[in-house]
Amino acid sequence: MADGAMSEFIAGFQDGRGETKVTLSKTRAQQDGALKGEKFSKHSSIIIEKSSIQPTLVSVRLPLNGGLFGYDVEIPDGHQIDINKTVITPKSDVIEIKIVKIGEFTLPA
């Protein structure tokens, strides 16, 4: 990964039974700066390659224009997600994450 601090995306959560949908979007500073005019779908392969899905953490990463952009969704202690059904989908202006939960818990914690 790139050196230095990561610039976080804005995260919106729609929590439901069995799954949570997380929508990541650019901050105003990102829209006006390093990510101006950039479509996430154009960088789909690098986002998928650099991101990771683990039982207790989903990390989305986009190294671009000399910076590192992303967001971490931490799963509450004692809970896990289904890594085979959890999916990261870069779209034009947002990155959608479908998190499939094992058991009942609420995100964000």
Side-chain angles (χ1 to χ4, degrees):
M1 302 275 177
D3 293 328
M6 177 176 69
S7 178
E8 282 197 341
F9 295 124
I10 299 169
F13 289 80
Q14 286 184 299
D15 197 51
R17 293 188 71 145
E19 72 178 44
T20 298
K21 292 185 188 211
V22 182
T23 303
L24 303 179
S25 54
K26 301 173 195 172
T27 65
R28 174 58 58 194
Q30 292 166 346
Q31 290 175 33
D32 294 342
L35 297 180
K36 185 174 185 174
E38 295 289 349
K39 301 293 183 195
F40 292 127
S41 53
K42 178 181 171 193
H43 304 286
S44 182
S45 60
I46 193 78
I47 292 169
I48 299 301
E49 177 186 325
K50 297 294 183 183
S51 299
S52 67
I53 300 170
Q54 302 167 23
T56 58
L57 178 69
V58 178
S59 296
V60 174
R61 297 291 183 271
L62 173 59
L64 188 67
N65 298 332
L68 178 62
F69 305 90
Y71 193 84
D72 291 337
V73 179
E74 296 184 26
I75 308 307
D77 287 344
H79 298 284
Q80 291 189 353
I81 61 172
D82 186 328
I83 62 171
N84 296 313
K85 293 181 182 174
T86 295
V87 181
I88 300 168
T89 307
K91 302 220 170 180
S92 181
D93 292 323
V94 298
I95 300 170
E96 293 181 350
I97 310 168
K98 181 178 95 170
I99 297 174
V100 178
K101 302 183 235 179
I102 297 174
E104 293 292 322
F105 59 93
T106 302
L107 289 174

